[in-house]
């Protein structure tokens, strides 16, 4: 089975992350980080889990979808948006 060629995506910068954080202020909840003793022991290094299940949507998807849609050009937005989630 062939999956085609690799797709290249632009690198995400610290400024991109800070811009998204500002955009999401008041939209997404600030969620806790929890350490996992069990996973840390398994991998031999500290493991922390981001509790995005505490978002109103129950997942991290709110963040990515909101930032992507908010960044659409007016003509792109006017054409409509179709979204799907596989889990």
């Amino acid at each position: 089975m062939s999956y085609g060629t690799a797709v290249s995506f632009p690198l995400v910068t610290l400024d991109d992350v800070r811009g998204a954080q500002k955009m999401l202020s008041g939209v997404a909840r600030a969620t806790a980080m929890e350490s996992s003793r069990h996973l840390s022991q398994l991998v031999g290094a500290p493991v922390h889990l981001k509790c995005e299940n505490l978002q109103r949507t129950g997942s991290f998807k709110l963040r990515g979808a909101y930032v992507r849609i908010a960044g659409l050009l007016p003509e792109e937005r006017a054409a409509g948006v179709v979204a799907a989630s596989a889990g």
Side-chain angles (χ1 to χ4, degrees), residues 60-71:
F60 65 91
K61 295 170 187 161
L62 165 74
R63 295 178 187 276
Y66 188 90
V67 170
R68 179 65 180 106
I69 291 171

Side-chain angles (χ1 to χ4, degrees), residues 5 41 46 55 57 61 76 79-80:
T5 60
Q41 289 172 347
Q55 292 294 343
T57 59
K61 295 170 187 161
E76 292 172 323

Side-chain angles (χ1 to χ4, degrees), residues 11-45:
L11 294 176
V12 176
T13 67
L14 183 55
D15 286 341
D16 293 331
V17 173
R18 288 182 174 146
Q21 179 184 27
K22 185 176 180 181
M23 185 184 301
L24 289 163
S25 178
V27 174
R29 294 177 176 168
T31 56
M33 295 281 293
E34 293 289 334
S35 61
S36 172
R37 191 173 0 174
H38 177 71
L39 292 176
S40 295
Q41 289 172 347
L42 283 176
V43 300

